[in-house]
Amino acid sequence: MAFEAGQVITRRYLRGQWCTWVQPLRVITDDEMGLLLWQPAGSDFATLVDADGNTPHEVTPDRMRDPKLTVRTWQSYDVLLLMPANASYSVWWFFQEGNFAGWYVNLEEPYVRRHNGVETIDLVLDIVVTPQRQWKWKDADEFDRRIGHPLYFDSAAADAIRAEGERLTKLIEAGDCPFDGIHTDFRPDPDWPLLRLGDDMKFPLYRPA
């Protein structure tokens, strides 16, 4: 079930029965390298927010008060995003005013395809990488707090997530693919519009049965 180049799909994060994140993305390619997607700054995305203004970074979804998916505007960076098949991560290329500004590695479960997009489970721990391949962990404190929570991961799974992150840092330091300069000169079609979560891209608060 390959997606077509130019098609707009949604990328969703699930957490237990909740859908916690939705972003519309334009398909660049869908091949043996993975699913390559584009989202320009100024586009929509939606994140789970509760009545007190908390997101899942601050409060786990099961402890949120009246959580709702809330549409916001993606700021600062245009993003090229690669989701390799059967991989426990995605790689993001950040651009500002057309210039490559660094990578972001999102550790996540291998994605599942749906008719209108893909679903995955965010694994909290991330890696921020400069264009010079200097890297640092992101959300490490939050990751440690989630260990043992029934909606997240136990200590054995947390060790495996860290190990996958460490494997990727070795690729970063070595300048191996996909940190070898590929896609750093990407230029979108100037006629592509900003991406919106409209009536034709309905998204549930809870995952479908």
Side-chain angles (χ1 to χ4, degrees), residues 89-208:
Y89 64 91
S90 61
V91 178
W92 307 37
W93 286 254
F94 285 168
F95 296 87
Q96 278 189 318
E97 298 180 353
N99 298 312
F100 174 63
W103 296 272
Y104 186 90
V105 180
N106 198 80
L107 295 169
E108 60 194 40
E109 294 285 348
Y111 70 85
V112 176
R113 289 176 183 256
R114 303 298 185 194
H115 74 281
N116 62 349
V118 292
E119 294 174 348
T120 183
I121 297 172
D122 181 56
L123 297 176
V124 182
L125 189 62
D126 304 313
I127 308 168
V128 177
V129 190
T130 71
Q132 295 75 37
R133 300 185 183 85
Q134 296 172 323
W135 63 268
K136 63 181 180 180
W137 297 112
K138 182 176 179 292
D139 298 329
D141 290 345
E142 180 187 349
F143 178 78
D144 289 342
R145 292 196 305 271
R146 300 296 182 246
I147 297 172
H149 190 288
L151 285 177
Y152 289 80
F153 27 75
D154 60 19
S155 58
D159 288 345
I161 294 165
R162 283 197 198 92
E164 177 66 355
E166 290 166 356
R167 184 187 72 83
L168 291 162
T169 64
K170 291 181 173 58
L171 296 182
I172 294 165
E173 292 170 348
D176 288 341
C177 188
F179 308 102
D180 56 353
I182 189 172
H183 300 317
T184 56
D185 59 351
F186 178 80
R187 295 293 182 270
D189 186 322
D191 293 329
W192 286 343
L194 297 178
L195 302 174
R196 302 299 181 203
L197 287 167
D199 290 341
D200 58 338
M201 301 175 79
K202 297 289 188 183
F203 47 88
L205 174 58
Y206 301 104
R207 72 163 75 190

Side-chain angles (χ1 to χ4, degrees), residues 39-88:
Q39 182 184 40
S43 295
D44 290 347
F45 74 101
T47 189
L48 198 66
V49 181
D50 73 4
D52 303 307
N54 295 306
T55 73
H57 285 294
E58 293 83 37
V59 179
T60 58
D62 58 318
R63 306 219 28 184
M64 284 181 155
R65 186 167 66 90
D66 191 24
K68 292 181 173 62
L69 276 167
T70 303
V71 177
R72 295 179 170 177
T73 300
W74 184 259
Q75 304 282 353
S76 301
Y77 295 103
D78 300 323
V79 176
L80 187 69
L81 192 157
L82 177 66
M83 301 181 73
N86 303 312
S88 296

